[in-house]
Amino acid sequence: MSVTVAFLALVAELIAGYPDRLVKAIGHPVIWIGKAIEWADNRFNRASDSSGERRRAGILVLFAIVVAAAGTGLLAEWLLGGVWYGWAIIAVIASSLIAQRSLGSHVATVADALDSGGLEQGRRAVGHIVGRDTGPLDETGIARAAIESLAENFSDGVVAPVFWLALGGLPAIIAYKAINTADSMIGHRTERHADFGRAAARLDDLVNLPASRLSAVLVIAAAVVTPGASPAGAWRAVLRDAGNHRSPNAGWPESAFAGALSLELAGPRLYGGRVVEDAVMGSGGSAVASAADIRRALKLYWMADLILVAVLGVLTLFVNVAR
C-alpha cells in the first residue's frame, strides 16, 4: 500500500498543507525531531573530546535518532494496520512530512516582497528560506537565491520524502526526515560540527541521491509543457553542470531549473562572512534575474510537481488493479 499512501499523502498536502493552527497547537514532526537533535548536540558534542570521539558520538546519535524515527513509523503502521481506514490516517500523517504548499508559498513571498517592498523586504523574505548572507544581495542575488532554494527543496522537501514513502512506507519517510533534519542542523563544516555532524552530512547525501536525479527528470519533463521553458536547455545544463556542483545532489535540480529558464544559478555565495566557491549552473544563461524569473520558476515547479502527482496516480492505479 506504500505507493497508494504516497499518492494520497501528496494529494492531501497539495490540497490542505499543514495548517498554521496545528503548528501553534502541537508543533510539527520536524520540530519534534529538531528538538531531539538539539538536545543530543548539546549533550554529546563536547568540545573537550577528540576529533575521533566526536565523530563516534555523531554516528551513535544519528543511529539512535534514525532508529527512533523508523520505529515510530513502524509502531504507527502496526497500530493502524488493523482498521480499514488506517491507510488514510497514515497518509495524513505522512503528508505532514511533504512540503509542496509551504515551499511554493515561501518562494512566492520573495517575489511579492521584491515587487511591493523593494530590496530590503526581498532580503528579509529570502532570508527565511536560505542560509547565506542576504545583506549584500541585489535584486538578481535575491531572485537567484529564491530559485536555487526552490530547486533544491523540490528535491529534498518534496521528491525525496515521497520517494522514500513509496518505497518503505511511514518508517522510511520519517527516517528520511530525521536524516535530512540532522544534516540541516549539524551537518555543517564548522568547528563545532565538522566531526560530530560528519555522519549526518554523508548519510543525507546518500539518501538524497535518487531523488535529486529524479527531480531533474521531472523538471525536464515539466519544461516540455511549461510556456517559455526549454527542455533542451534543461537537459544540456544537467549533463554539463550537475556534476560540477560542490553538493553531489543539489546540482541536479539547480542545473535543470537554470537550463530550463535560461538563467545562471549557484556560483560563489557568502555564508557567515566567508565566500563559498561553487560552479555556475546553467552556464551561458542570463546572469540577471528578477521577481518575474522567480514566478517563471514557480510555474515550472508546480508543473513538475503535478507530473509527480500524475505519475504516482498512475502507479497507484496499476498496483491496485494488479492486486
Side-chain angles (χ1 to χ4, degrees):
M1 292 295 291
S2 293
V3 171
T4 302
V5 169
F7 171 67
L8 293 173
L10 199 58
V11 172
E13 202 282 332
L14 186 62
I15 295 171
Y18 192 86
D20 290 338
R21 287 177 296 179
L22 204 55
V23 175
K24 293 175 182 177
I26 64 171
H28 187 278
V30 171
I31 296 175
W32 307 334
I33 294 169
K35 287 184 181 297
I37 294 168
E38 183 180 19
W39 176 85
D41 185 24
N42 292 331
R43 176 68 178 81
F44 299 107
N45 186 13
R46 294 182 288 262
S48 58
D49 287 346
S50 68
S51 175
E53 288 172 328
R54 294 175 87 170
R55 286 188 185 184
R56 285 190 291 274
I59 292 171
L60 291 173
V61 164
L62 181 65
F63 177 78
I65 289 171
V66 172
V67 168
T72 301
L74 281 170
L75 179 61
E77 287 193 340
W78 178 74
L79 290 172
L80 294 167
V83 294
W84 67 268
Y85 53 83
W87 54 269
I89 298 176
I90 291 171
V92 171
I93 294 171
S95 72
S96 69
L97 301 171
I98 304 169
Q100 298 163 106
R101 282 175 62 94
S102 60
L103 175 58
S105 174
H106 285 130
V107 174
T109 297
V110 179
D112 293 340
L114 273 175
D115 281 341
S116 63
L119 293 180
E120 194 56 41
Q121 287 192 26
R123 292 178 186 129
R124 191 177 300 116
V126 82
H128 291 300
I129 60 173
V130 300
R132 73 193 66 178
D133 299 348
T134 59
L137 296 180
D138 57 9
E139 182 178 11
T140 288
I142 293 168
R144 287 174 57 168
I147 296 168
E148 289 161 17
S149 180
L150 178 66
E152 187 172 353
N153 283 290
F154 174 53
S155 177
D156 293 0
V158 180
V159 180
V162 169
F163 173 84
W164 287 109
L165 176 59
L167 197 66
L170 197 58
I173 189 176
I174 300 178
Y176 168 77
K177 292 304 291 186
I179 295 166
N180 191 241
T181 305
D183 176 62
S184 68
M185 294 181 68
I186 63 174
H188 309 296
R189 295 178 184 177
T190 59
E191 183 178 351
R192 176 171 177 79
H193 291 123
D195 294 313
F196 186 76
R198 182 185 180 95
R202 293 290 178 84
L203 186 56
D204 185 71
D205 286 342
L206 180 63
V207 297
N208 275 303
L209 191 148
S212 63
R213 277 66 176 171
L214 178 57
S215 298
V217 172
L218 289 168
V219 172
I220 293 169
V224 175
V225 290
T226 303
S230 169
W235 177 253
R236 286 194 298 269
V238 168
L239 292 179
R240 182 186 61 232
D241 302 327
N244 298 326
H245 200 286
R246 64 189 175 92
S247 164
N249 294 314
W252 291 78
E254 282 189 21
S255 61
F257 267 83
L261 300 172
S262 299
L263 294 173
E264 287 186 359
L265 300 176
R269 286 161 282 186
L270 197 64
Y271 291 87
R274 183 172 63 92
V275 176
V276 175
E277 297 292 341
D278 200 359
V280 173
M281 301 290 106
S283 305
S286 173
V288 178
S290 66
D293 292 306
I294 298 176
R295 292 194 170 91
R296 290 201 301 133
L298 282 166
K299 290 179 181 178
L300 184 65
Y301 161 71
W302 283 117
M303 188 59 70
D305 187 70
L306 289 175
I307 291 173
L308 176 62
V309 174
V311 169
L312 271 174
V314 171
L315 287 175
T316 296
L317 182 62
F318 176 79
V319 167
N320 284 281
V321 168
R323 291 178 63 192

